[in-house]
Amino acid sequence: MTRPSVPAFSTAPVAAIACGVAAVLTALSGRYGYHRDELYFRVAGEHLAWGYVDQPPLTPLLARISITVFGDTPMGLRVVSSVSAAITVVVVALIAREFGSERRAQILAATCTALAGFVLGTGHMVSTATYDLLAWMVIGLFAVRLLRTGDGRWWIALGLTAGVALENKYLVVLPLAALLIAVLAIGPREILKTWWLPAGIALAAVIAAPNLVWQATHDWPQLTVAGGISEDDGTENRIMFVPLQLAQLSPFLVPVWVAGFLRLWRTPALRWARPVALAYPVLCVIVFAAGGKSYYALPLLLVLVAAGCQPTVDWLHRGRPAVRRAVLAVGAVLTAITSAAFTLPVLPASAVNLVLPVNQEQGEQIGWPELTESVAKVWQQIPAAERERAVLFAGNYGQAGALAKYGPEHGLPQVYSGHMSFADWSVPSDDHTGPVVLVLQNRSPQYEAHFGTCTEAATVDNRQGVDNEEQGAHILVCTATTRPWSSLWPDLRRYY
């Protein structure tokens, strides 16, 4: 079978749009402050390893590189994320080209990606989802090229990308599984009948092996973390799955990706691409059944957006072109406004509560220096003679990360925590028999029982009225631990 060729790529306009995204993200990257996950990645980058209890090593490694090169600030930390988002814009335009989209449609695909809320939100800060999105897009590009050309050598590129992606997040197996199911169901099955496929699988396995070995030798803690998250959030994730599929890219992009699905499914010339269309609903079923987060399926929507830009451009030239162009322009403006408001730090910090029902991550970037100041005031209340034996203990990795970052300038000692990989990085000596300054989101008599008599000394106030997870957190002073730290530590470890 003769496979279709592709149009020329609109290099300069697409590159300009990508550079614009990078510039906007960089300009806004210093507002608000670190996200709780970024504070965790920052410390994880100081303890480089082949794995952590809740993730593979790539994101902490990239955080370490970005800080080393660009500085230990929110802006410095986020440079690599901004670049990743810009590359994602280019890759989606390349996917549009693979579907036979001409230059204007490629530019529209880049523009839609640049305005998509999920792309801007993950590009603004460091998260595993940031690099996962780029990996999914590259995998999508190589998979589409494999389907279009029938050249089995693209399995090597897929294996290489999948292996690197597995060193960041295991979710990459989901789109690959969905695409495989779609190919088995409707073809073209001949792309599976090649030795390049097992070669690609072997390459992915070799690249992913160091982290998989780490997980195996540590009793697969990431499965424990994933199980706890699913148990806690699974019902809510299922309830919100469909609404968030419509909202998280942008409601204004829904007609574009619907057009993309219909184009891939109905167009005879794109019959080879039908598995790409089917992969999205298959992936949705998998994620919904597992109780996964809605954003797990969003990257494949960007592939459908890429497919839908050519019919959107064609639509502009039918009927009343001027009216249709005005409608598209209004949609683009509304997409830009809503995406920026809900995913980027453009509002005053005091107004962030307005967007928290849709994007809680905005609030998690506010209040960490204030939390540290409050803890420092309580620490100073401990008699100087007792501080050498006292311990500063944080209930979660966000608190611990903030105290690790801002604590030294307030005279705070090393912070300890039993949450996630903080539990592996350091344990208080049994010689620390003095008071414990304990920071908790919510008071728990069962948890506090490990620390003897606890008295509340202060509560956290971010001074902006932002209703985030740490607002109103409790700072306690406890007399001591009920057992030596070495004996107590397994009971203090938390995986979620």
Side-chain angles (χ1 to χ4, degrees):
M1 176 186 293
T2 302
R3 298 291 183 173
S5 59
V6 296
F9 187 55
S10 188
T11 305
V14 170
I17 294 169
C19 290
V21 169
V24 169
L25 292 175
T26 300
L28 294 174
S29 62
R31 284 177 56 82
Y32 294 177
Y34 293 99
H35 184 274
R36 67 166 60 248
D37 290 351
E38 292 176 315
L39 291 165
Y40 179 49
F41 296 140
R42 179 184 169 277
V43 181
E46 297 173 355
H47 298 83
L48 292 177
W50 281 114
Y52 304 89
V53 299
D54 53 337
Q55 64 188 319
L58 186 57
T59 296
L61 173 61
L62 292 176
R64 172 74 173 270
I65 292 172
S66 198
I67 287 173
T68 301
V69 176
F70 301 106
D72 191 6
T73 64
M75 182 176 287
L77 175 66
R78 292 167 174 167
V79 170
V80 177
S81 294
S82 299
V83 172
S84 178
I87 296 173
T88 298
V89 170
V90 176
V91 174
V92 174
L94 286 168
I95 294 173
R97 174 176 177 253
E98 290 295 317
F99 291 133
S101 301
E102 44 94 358
R103 288 175 180 265
R104 288 174 297 178
Q106 296 168 22
I107 295 170
L108 181 59
T111 302
C112 289
T113 307
L115 299 180
F118 183 65
V119 176
L120 293 177
T122 57
H124 165 61
M125 63 187 189
V126 175
S127 70
T128 53
T130 304
Y131 310 117
D132 207 39
L133 174 61
L134 176 57
W136 281 42
M137 291 300 95
V138 174
I139 287 171
L141 174 62
F142 293 155
V144 170
R145 191 161 291 179
L146 170 64
L147 289 166
R148 181 179 64 81
T149 64
D151 187 345
R153 288 175 294 182
W154 285 106
W155 282 116
I156 298 299
L158 279 167
L160 174 64
T161 309
V164 174
L166 285 168
E167 291 288 4
N168 179 65
K169 203 167 187 176
Y170 293 159
L171 288 179
V172 70
V173 301
L174 297 182
L176 292 171
L179 185 60
L180 177 60
I181 292 170
V183 169
L184 289 172
I186 61 175
R189 298 182 186 89
E190 60 265 23
I191 65 170
L192 305 176
K193 301 173 183 178
T194 171
W195 285 105
W196 290 110
L197 172 56
I201 294 173
L203 179 59
V206 169
I207 297 172
N211 177 251
L212 295 175
V213 170
W214 189 95
Q215 286 286 327
T217 56
H218 290 77
D219 298 324
W220 298 99
Q222 198 161 344
L223 294 180
T224 303
V225 174
I229 293 173
S230 178
E231 182 178 341
D232 285 353
D233 301 334
T235 300
E236 180 182 353
N237 290 341
R238 293 185 181 95
I239 292 172
M240 294 302 298
F241 185 84
V242 172
L244 291 178
Q245 288 296 293
L246 301 177
Q248 284 184 317
L249 279 187
S250 170
F252 302 102
L253 294 180
V254 172
V256 180
W257 61 258
V258 169
F261 178 89
L262 295 175
R263 179 191 181 202
L264 298 183
W265 193 253
R266 293 177 176 177
T267 305
L270 291 174
R271 185 175 180 82
W272 56 268
R274 290 182 72 195
V276 179
L278 181 58
Y280 172 67
V282 169
L283 178 60
C284 288
V285 170
I286 294 172
V287 174
F288 185 87
K293 297 182 182 298
S294 62
Y295 76 81
Y296 294 175
L298 286 182
L300 284 191
L301 275 185
L302 282 175
V303 178
L304 297 182
V305 166
C309 287
Q310 185 62 58
T312 302
V313 169
D314 295 340
W315 173 83
L316 288 175
H317 293 85
R318 295 196 298 268
R320 299 178 177 178
V323 173
R324 297 189 179 206
R325 288 171 186 168
V327 170
L328 183 65
V330 170
V333 171
L334 292 175
T335 300
I337 292 173
T338 55
S339 294
F342 285 103
T343 63
L344 298 178
V346 295
L347 297 175
S350 57
V352 165
N353 285 342
L354 296 174
V355 304
L356 293 188
V358 176
N359 182 14
Q360 294 182 351
E361 309 309 325
Q362 291 280 66
E364 298 310 309
Q365 302 170 61
I366 295 170
W368 299 111
E370 290 77 11
L371 179 146
T372 306
E373 290 174 16
S374 298
V375 172
K377 290 178 181 178
V378 173
W379 180 263
Q380 294 300 323
Q381 295 173 14
I382 297 176
E386 299 182 24
R387 288 180 203 160
E388 186 175 343
R389 295 182 296 109
V391 169
L392 177 58
F393 188 90
N396 65 52
Y397 66 64
Q399 298 164 352
L403 294 170
K405 167 60 180 174
Y406 299 110
E409 64 189 69
H410 292 281
L412 289 175
Q414 177 181 359
V415 61
Y416 298 92
S417 179
H419 194 208
M420 298 299 188
S421 284
F422 265 99
D424 298 317
W425 295 331
S426 55
V427 182
S429 164
D430 286 344
D431 293 336
H432 287 81
T433 57
V436 178
V437 173
L438 179 62
V439 187
L440 295 177
Q441 273 185 3
N442 300 294
R443 295 201 62 170
S444 168
Q446 182 179 2
Y447 196 77
E448 292 172 30
H450 297 305
F451 300 96
T453 302
C454 294
T455 303
E456 186 161 317
T459 56
V460 175
D461 182 4
N462 56 49
R463 301 174 194 165
Q464 299 290 343
V466 176
D467 188 21
N468 59 21
E469 291 190 22
E470 306 307 324
Q471 180 72 338
H474 306 275
I475 305 172
L476 314 176
V477 177
C478 306
T479 52
T481 55
T482 56
R483 287 180 282 155
W485 284 102
S486 58
S487 172
L488 186 61
W489 202 247
D491 296 332
L492 297 177
R493 176 183 281 277
R494 292 176 50 230
Y495 288 100
Y496 45 86

